[in-house]
Amino acid sequence: MDFTMGEAATRLRGELRRLIAEEVPADYLGAFTDDPADLAVAQRFCRVLAERGLLCAAWPAEFGGRGASVWEQTVVREEMWAHHEPRGAQYMGVNWVGPTIMRHGTAEQQHTHLPPIARGETIWCQGFSEPDSGSDLASLRTTARRDGEGWRISGQKIWTSYATMAQWCFLLARTATRARKQQGLTVFLVPMSDPGIEVRPIRSMLGPHHLNEVFFDGVRVTEADVLGRVDEGWSVVQEVLAFERVGIARYARCERLLQAAPDVLGPRWETVPAELRGRWARMLTRARRARLLAYQVVAMQSAGRVAPGDAAAYRIAVTRLDQESASVLAELAAFAGSEDERGHRFRRAVDDHWRYANAATVASGSIEMQKILLARSLLSGPRRTGEAA
């Protein structure tokens, strides 16, 4: 495969780095901290990107994008994650909610939801995991029952990021009991303003807004809120998970922090034990490997050939990189000087990375489930022509 992105992508990367330097404070560590000013930075920066057609660059012009290549959108994704995601929660709408509505939504749903996402105005949350249905998502119990010309949704979701600020929820619920648990599931686009929805934040070391419980008490939705076919939501969700897992370009942040270490440490780099510098070099190599795996999945997605095993292989590589690089970076940060601003910012960035990395092998599907998906893909037999394993 040829993953040379071309001159347009190179120029775009430079443009994004200039914008970040101009619009995002040097000590910014993400939108969801105890300081409300950090969220304000993300909301403002989203508008800046949207005005330049960069927030949803690869989307068609009719939906608010500029028809850029998937590789230009990959550049946007990488630069955002490398710089602590100054889009805030918008990556969810940009990376997979919007593309899924494009592929499976009605014209009315596309008109309603896509322009606000492209303008950076709407925040989405994901109603998938439940107290007894995390990695085994298909065993969920939240139900949607027919009620006249609409539906009534009742149940509980958990670990729902951004639910306290989201305007919409991409919700998976059971609409029928079938022989196989993957059958009888339906996707609903649910407004979070409904009075039957209660959000309870879950305190964690990740900071505000990240984790919540969401309770649905007879929430009424209409047929216009059903995405795709009733009872066939599992196929939509399988596609969503592939987009979501490759859309989180954590390898870019790992690589940026690893590359920064020798420069930040300066003369102190020579005092770092050779064994630790060896592990640092291995982490850089693994960051590049995760990047290339991501590119492989992006190429398959653009050709319409991606399968769960492809996304799982990438996810395994990037989550292990996340945690193991965090350990190496934490040891390197101890050598950074406490008297200079760069060393202070580096230690803060490494600490932020370490806290997030602790959940990497659980979030968006545990690493054990990713291994099962990959194993099933490898054991399913030889590939047929034009088909991904």
Side-chain angles (χ1 to χ4, degrees):
M1 294 175 293
D2 179 8
F3 284 128
T4 302
M5 291 188 175
E7 293 183 6
T10 301
R11 288 195 300 270
L12 175 59
R13 198 180 293 277
E15 179 183 358
L16 288 167
R17 291 180 179 179
R18 286 191 297 273
L19 278 176
I20 292 169
E22 293 168 1
E23 302 286 343
V24 180
D27 60 352
Y28 178 83
L29 291 179
F32 312 115
T33 68
D34 292 313
D35 187 350
D38 290 325
L39 179 58
V41 167
Q43 292 173 319
R44 183 178 67 250
F45 189 66
C46 276
R47 290 193 291 271
V48 170
L49 291 174
E51 288 168 1
R52 290 164 170 76
L54 295 173
L55 185 60
C56 301
W59 287 19
E62 63 184 298
F63 296 136
R66 63 178 191 180
S69 71
V70 294
W71 299 112
E72 289 173 273
Q73 189 66 52
T74 300
V75 169
V76 174
R77 179 185 303 139
E78 289 178 345
E79 291 305 312
M80 295 303 105
W81 279 96
H83 294 87
H84 300 277
E85 191 47 274
R87 296 174 299 181
Q90 294 295 341
Y91 76 89
M92 192 175 290
V94 172
N95 282 349
W96 64 262
V97 174
T100 304
I101 292 174
M102 284 182 215
R103 294 167 72 95
H104 300 281
T106 63
E108 179 183 357
Q109 289 170 336
Q110 292 170 353
H111 176 76
T112 298
H113 295 295
L114 298 179
I117 294 174
R119 293 193 298 266
E121 296 173 352
T122 304
I123 294 175
W124 285 76
C125 63
Q126 180 193 82
F128 284 6
S129 294
E130 298 184 6
D132 296 315
S133 302
S135 296
D136 185 14
L137 179 58
S139 65
L140 63 84
R141 298 178 182 177
T142 293
T143 59
R145 296 287 180 251
R146 287 282 187 184
D147 181 31
E149 296 183 358
W151 302 79
R152 290 282 183 182
I153 299 175
S154 298
Q156 177 188 359
K157 298 294 180 176
I158 199 168
W159 315 125
T160 308
S161 299
Y162 323 126
T164 54
M165 63 177 67
Q167 289 84 42
W168 289 88
C169 179
F170 192 101
L171 177 74
L172 186 64
R174 185 164 297 285
T175 45
T177 302
R178 301 292 178 88
R180 295 179 68 246
K181 58 188 176 183
Q182 289 86 355
Q183 298 174 333
L185 298 172
T186 303
V187 174
F188 295 90
L189 309 178
V190 182
M192 290 295 289
S193 58
D194 191 285
I197 297 176
E198 180 187 0
V199 179
R200 299 178 190 173
I202 300 172
R203 294 180 60 85
S204 77
M205 67 180 180
L206 297 180
H209 310 299
H210 275 282
L211 303 175
N212 304 274
E213 294 177 283
V214 185
F215 297 84
F216 299 84
D217 185 10
V219 174
R220 180 170 174 79
V221 294
T222 69
E223 289 295 327
D225 299 313
V226 175
L227 182 69
R229 295 179 181 272
V230 172
D231 294 341
E232 297 182 15
W234 187 247
S235 61
V236 176
V237 168
Q238 290 295 97
E239 183 179 293
V240 163
L241 293 176
F243 274 103
E244 178 195 22
R245 287 163 183 164
V246 76
I248 302 175
R250 295 280 296 178
Y251 60 83
R253 187 175 305 177
C254 296
E255 190 169 342
R256 180 169 178 259
L257 288 172
L258 288 163
Q259 289 181 337
D263 189 39
V264 171
L265 267 58
R268 293 184 179 89
W269 182 253
E270 298 303 321
T271 68
V272 174
E275 183 273 339
L276 178 53
R277 278 185 284 172
R279 283 192 284 138
W280 167 83
R282 285 195 294 275
M283 288 302 105
L284 277 172
T285 301
R286 289 175 59 177
R288 181 53 57 91
R289 181 178 67 182
R291 180 187 295 271
L292 293 176
L293 280 170
Y295 290 178
Q296 183 179 40
V297 177
V298 169
M300 289 180 172
Q301 283 178 336
S302 65
R305 297 190 296 115
V306 72
D310 303 313
Y314 162 73
R315 186 68 183 168
I316 292 167
V318 79
T319 52
R320 292 185 61 186
L321 167 71
D322 231 3
Q323 292 185 339
E324 293 174 25
S325 68
S327 177
V328 170
L329 285 163
E331 292 183 55
L332 290 171
F335 290 85
S338 58
E339 66 281 358
D340 65 283
E341 182 61 24
R342 288 193 67 203
H344 176 67
R345 287 203 303 265
F346 180 72
R347 288 197 305 277
R348 289 185 65 234
V350 168
D351 177 70
D352 176 79
H353 175 66
W354 181 87
R355 286 187 289 114
Y356 277 84
N358 272 276
T361 52
V362 177
S364 299
S366 70
I367 196 169
E368 289 81 9
M369 292 303 297
Q370 304 307 316
K371 289 178 178 179
I372 290 172
L373 286 171
L374 180 58
R376 286 174 178 169
S377 176
L378 294 173
L379 293 173
S380 63
R383 300 182 182 184
R384 294 190 295 270
T385 302
E387 185 177 80

